[in-house]
Amino acid sequence: MENKEDAIIRFSVSLQQNLLDELDNRIIKNGYSSRSELVRDMIRERLVEDSWSRADSEDKGLIVAVVVLIYDHHQRELNQRMIDIQHESHISILCTTHVHLDAHNCLETIILRGKPADIMHLHLEIGGLKGVKFSKLTKASSFESNT
């Protein structure tokens, strides 16, 4: 017996030609195998964005996110400042991964859980430190707390 969440439902969408052309260009550019695959990803992305907005406006709900950083590990006291920011935040740091890219650069991922505004603040604070060359926040998901 098929789970309702796993069932594939077909529906049609009417688009202007220029939008369909742009959709097809994105399929080719991003390596999607079909229009359906691209549309599913676009819908998922929008649902995550909406869950972030809802959690922020309702002042409840915890969000999961990933911060990716590339930085110069020779920058004086940068590592300690990054750690201090994480410890002083109101966010749960679930996991960090540190990779040495070359003699000067490190890549670090930080997996976070917390309120959207707090996560955005942490991302901007760390991303603005001297020696950070790249900083990207990926909004991943939300979930309801059991408390």
Side-chain angles (χ1 to χ4, degrees):
M1 186 168 165
E2 190 171 315
N3 183 347
K4 184 178 179 182
E5 291 180 12
D6 295 332
I8 301 292
I9 307 299
R10 295 184 195 282
F11 68 98
S12 64
V13 176
S14 301
L15 296 175
Q16 296 166 318
Q17 185 64 50
N18 64 333
L19 289 176
L20 183 60
D21 292 343
E22 182 60 32
L23 185 73
D24 288 340
N25 287 337
R26 286 186 185 205
I27 290 168
I28 293 165
K29 177 180 164 190
N30 295 319
Y32 286 98
S33 62
S34 68
R35 289 175 178 162
S36 294
E37 188 180 348
L38 174 61
V39 170
R40 280 191 294 268
D41 270 2
M42 291 168 67
I43 290 170
R44 286 184 197 111
E45 184 177 328
R46 182 56 193 239
L47 291 173
V48 167
E49 287 289 333
D50 287 349
S51 72
W52 272 63
S53 297
R54 211 173 32 259
D56 228 6
S57 67
E58 295 172 3
D59 197 32
K60 66 178 185 178
L62 299 176
I63 301 298
V64 176
V66 180
V67 174
V68 176
L69 304 163
I70 296 177
Y71 61 91
D72 178 355
H73 78 262
H74 292 296
Q75 180 64 47
R76 187 173 182 203
E77 298 181 13
L78 178 58
N79 284 335
Q80 188 58 52
R81 287 184 292 190
M82 289 170 49
I83 290 169
D84 290 344
I85 290 169
Q86 292 175 58
H87 280 282
E88 293 167 3
S89 73
H90 302 301
I91 298 170
S92 294
I93 308 297
L94 302 177
C95 176
T96 62
T97 303
H98 183 92
V99 177
H100 301 278
L101 297 175
D102 57 33
H104 302 282
N105 296 295
C106 293
L107 179 142
E108 190 159 316
T109 62
I110 308 168
I111 302 174
L112 312 160
R113 183 178 64 208
K115 293 184 178 182
D118 294 337
I119 290 173
M120 295 289 289
H121 178 76
L122 179 135
H123 169 246
L124 292 172
E125 196 171 2
I126 291 177
L129 294 172
K130 184 176 181 181
V132 174
K133 298 177 177 182
F134 174 82
S135 177
K136 178 167 176 55
L137 173 67
T138 300
K139 300 172 181 178
S141 181
S142 70
F143 58 92
E144 294 298 319
S145 173
N146 291 332
T147 59

